[in-house]
C-alpha cells in the first residue's frame, strides 16, 4: 500500500514534524557504527530518550485524532446530517488510513484518545512525558471501561500515585486491574459476564508455513481444554514407539478432536496452484502454491500436503502470464463455489479485505466502480472487502477506482480517495 498525503498547506506544526522526521531518519542512518566517537553511556541516554519520545508522539497523535474527529462531526452536522448512526461514520477509517492500521484498530485508537483526554488525565500526562507506553495507556482504558467517568478519574489518581511508570509491564497491568476491580466490583464482574458473549475462534498466519489458531473462551473452559490436552499427552508421550513430543501430541490431539479425524494430517485440502503458462510445458519449472486465506507456500510442500492426507482434496489450476505475471484465467472445476469469478477474486486477494492496511477476512465481493453507476461484474472491477470496507465507500467524499486491471505487467491496483483528498493505493498479491 502507498499513501499520498497533502503537504499541510504551510502548517508550521506539519513543517516542524517533517523536520523532526528528517532529523531522526538521519540519526538512524548515520549512527549504525558501534564506535562512531560516541560513548556507550551516551547511546543508552539516547535509547532512553527515544523510548520516551514514543509515548509523547503517541499522545500528540491522540490530540490530532480528537481534533480531526471533532471537526468532522461539526462538518457533518453543518450539512444537516444529524442521524446518530451517521455522525461518526468514516472518522476512524480516515485516521486508520493515515496511521497505516486497520479500521478496527483506528476505532480503538480514537476511543483510547478520547477516554484518556476526558477521564484519565493523569495517565495521559504520564504518556505525554514518555513515562508509560502507549500499550499501557490503552490497557488502562480497557481495564476501566466498566467504570463511570467519576470512578475512572478516581482510579486515574490512584494509578499515578501507585507509580506504575516504575513497574515492569506485567506488574503495571496487574496493578491497574486490581485498582479497577476495587473501584466497582459489581461492574467488573458484570463486564466479565458480558465478555463471555464475545467468545470466538480466529486464525492468523505464522512464519514457516504455520498458523495460529486462537480461541477466546471463558477462563474455566480454556483451563479445562488445556488440562484435557495435557492429560492425553501425558498418557501418550514415551509410550511404545511414539516419536512425537508432548507439544506435538497436544497440537495433533486438538486438531483430531475438533475435526473428528483419525489423524491430524488427514485434513480436507484446497490448494490454488499458481502456474505460469510457460511452466505448463516444463515439468521441472518451480511453481508457487497459494493457500487461500493464508498466503504462499512452496509448491513442493503443497504437493507433500496433498499426497500425505487421506482427506478430500481439491485442486484449482490458476494460469498466469509467463515469468510470474498476474492471473489471467482459471479452471472452473470446483463444485463448492457458486461461481468461478468470485472464487478467482477471493484467491487473487488472498480472501482478505483489499482496503489499504485492513486485511480483515473477506466478507463481500465489492464492485469498485459501483453497479448502480454501471460498473461491470468483472474480474477487474471486483475486490474482496470486509463488511465495514464495503459500506464506507458509500459515504460522501469517498471513492475508489481501478488504476491497473491486473492483466498486464502490474498487479491489480485500486486507489481509494477520502473526503480530505488523501489517496491510498492497494495492490493485489503476486
Amino acid at each position: 500500500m502507498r499513501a499520498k498525503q497533502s503537504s499541510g498547506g504551510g502548517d508550521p506544526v506539519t513543517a516542524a514534524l517533517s523536520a523532526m522526521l528528517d532529523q531522526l531518519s538521519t540519526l538512524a542512518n548515520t549512527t549504525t557504527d558501534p564506535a562512531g566517537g560516541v560513548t556507550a553511556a551516551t547511546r543508552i541516554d539516547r535509547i532512553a530518550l527515544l523510548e520516551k519520545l514514543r509515548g509523547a508522539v503517541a499522545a500528540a497523535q491522540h490530540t490530532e485524532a480528537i481534533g480531526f474527529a471533532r471537526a468532522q462531526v461539526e462538518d457533518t452536522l453543518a450539512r444537516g446530517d444529524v442521524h446518530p448512526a451517521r455522525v461518526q461514520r468514516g472518522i476512524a477509517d480516515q485516521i486508520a488510513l493515515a496511521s497505516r492500521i486497520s479500521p478496527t484498530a483506528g476505532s480503538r485508537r480514537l476511543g483510547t484518545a478520547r477516554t484518556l483526554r476526558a477521564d484519565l488525565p493523569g495517565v495521559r500526562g504520564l504518556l505525554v512525558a514518555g513515562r508509560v507506553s502507549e500499550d499501557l495507556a490503552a490497557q488502562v482504558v480497557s481495564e476501566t471501561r466498566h467504570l463511570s467517568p467519576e470512578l475512572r478519574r478516581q482510579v486515574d489518581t490512584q494509578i499515578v500515585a501507585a507509580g506504575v511508570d516504575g513497574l515492569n509491564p506485567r506488574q503495571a497491568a496487574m496493578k491497574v486491574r486490581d485498582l479497577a476491580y476495587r473501584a466497582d466490583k459489581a461492574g467488573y464482574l458484570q463486564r466479565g459476564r458480558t465478555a463471555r458473549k464475545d467468545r470466538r475462534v480466529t486464525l492468523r498466519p505464522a512464519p514457516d508455513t504455520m498458523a495460529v489458531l486462537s480461541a477466546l473462551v471463558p477462563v474455566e473452559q480454556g483451563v479445562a481444554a488445556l488440562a484435557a490436552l495435557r492429560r492425553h499427552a501425558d498418557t501418550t508421550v514415551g509410550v511404545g514407539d511414539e516419536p512425537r513430543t508432548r507439544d506435538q501430541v497436544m497440537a495433533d490431539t486438538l486438531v483430531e478432536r475438533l475435526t473428528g479425524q483419525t489423524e491430524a494430517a488427514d485434513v480436507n485440502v484446497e490448494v490454488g496452484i499458481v502456474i505460469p503458462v510457460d511452466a505448463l510445458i516444463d515439468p521441472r519449472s518451480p511453481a508457487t502454491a497459494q493457500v487461500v486465506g493464508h498466503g504462499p507456500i512452496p509448491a513442493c510442500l503443497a504437493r507433500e500436503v496433498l499426497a500425505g492426507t487421506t482427506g478430500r482434496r481439491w485442486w484449482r489450476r490458476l494460469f498466469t502470464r509467463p515469468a510470474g505475471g498476474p492471473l489471467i484465467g482459471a479452471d472452473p472445476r470446483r463444485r463448492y463455489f457458486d461461481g468461478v469469478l468470485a472464487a478467482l477474486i477471493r484467491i487473487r486477494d488472498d480472501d482478505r479485505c483489499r482496503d489499504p492496511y485492513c486485511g480483515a477476512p473477506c466478507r463481500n465481493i465489492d464492485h469498485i466502480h459501483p453497479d448502480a453507476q454501471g460498473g461491470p461484474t468483472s474480474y477487474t472491477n471486483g475486490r474482496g472487502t470486509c463488511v465495514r470496507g464495503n459500506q464506507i465507500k458509500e459515504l460522501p467524499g469517498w471513492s475508489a477506482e481501478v488504476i491497473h486491471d491486473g492483466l498486464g505487467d502490474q498487479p491489480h491496483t485500486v486507489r481509494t480517495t477520502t473526503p480530505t483528498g488523501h489517496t491510498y493505493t492497494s495492490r493485489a498479491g503476486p
Side-chain angles (χ1 to χ4, degrees), residues 47-61:
I47 291 171
L49 285 171
L50 287 168
E51 186 62 28
K52 287 185 176 181
L53 189 60
R54 290 174 184 261
V57 168
Q61 191 180 53

Side-chain angles (χ1 to χ4, degrees), residues 107-319:
S107 295
R108 191 160 50 243
R109 181 173 292 181
L110 177 58
T112 295
R114 285 168 164 165
T115 301
L116 288 171
R117 174 62 69 93
D119 300 335
L120 298 166
V123 174
R124 185 178 185 277
L126 295 177
L127 183 64
V128 170
R131 293 167 58 186
V132 298
S133 67
E134 183 181 14
D135 288 342
L136 180 59
Q139 188 166 8
V140 172
V141 171
S142 177
E143 293 290 353
T144 60
R145 65 184 181 273
H146 65 291
L147 301 177
S148 65
E150 293 77 13
L151 285 177
R152 236 178 183 165
R153 297 187 189 101
Q154 174 185 318
V155 171
D156 175 64
T157 302
Q158 295 171 346
I159 290 173
V160 176
V164 293
D165 54 320
L167 304 177
N168 67 43
R170 183 178 182 277
Q171 290 173 332
M174 294 297 292
K175 174 60 69 175
V176 169
R177 187 171 298 130
D178 179 62
L179 292 173
Y181 170 67
R182 291 174 181 274
D184 184 0
K185 296 179 181 180
Y188 193 95
L189 293 174
Q190 182 58 42
R191 189 185 78 181
R193 296 188 182 98
T194 302
R196 292 168 180 254
K197 298 178 181 178
D198 297 327
R199 58 189 182 276
R200 59 186 178 273
V201 177
T202 57
L203 182 73
R204 65 181 186 275
D208 303 322
T209 69
M210 301 293 283
V212 178
L213 177 67
S214 302
L216 181 65
V217 296
V219 61
E220 71 278 5
Q221 295 178 16
V223 171
L226 184 61
L229 292 173
R230 285 174 172 170
R231 284 195 302 270
H232 177 74
D234 290 340
T235 62
T236 304
V237 176
V239 177
D241 297 328
E242 176 58 63
R244 296 174 296 173
T245 66
R246 191 166 184 266
D247 286 341
Q248 290 171 343
V249 170
M250 291 174 62
D252 291 346
T253 303
L254 173 66
V255 174
E256 291 161 4
R257 292 185 177 180
L258 287 176
T259 63
Q261 299 162 185
T262 303
E263 299 289 341
D266 294 339
V267 294
N268 297 329
V269 179
E270 175 181 332
V271 179
I273 303 297
V274 182
I275 306 177
V277 172
D278 54 345
L280 293 176
I281 58 176
D282 183 4
R284 297 172 299 177
S285 177
T288 301
Q290 184 87 6
V291 178
V292 179
H294 175 83
I297 64 172
C300 59
L301 180 58
R303 288 192 289 269
E304 291 177 10
V305 171
L306 289 165
T309 178
T310 60
R312 292 177 294 176
R313 290 165 282 186
W314 295 282
W315 291 77
R316 180 188 294 282
R317 294 176 295 173
L318 305 175
F319 306 130

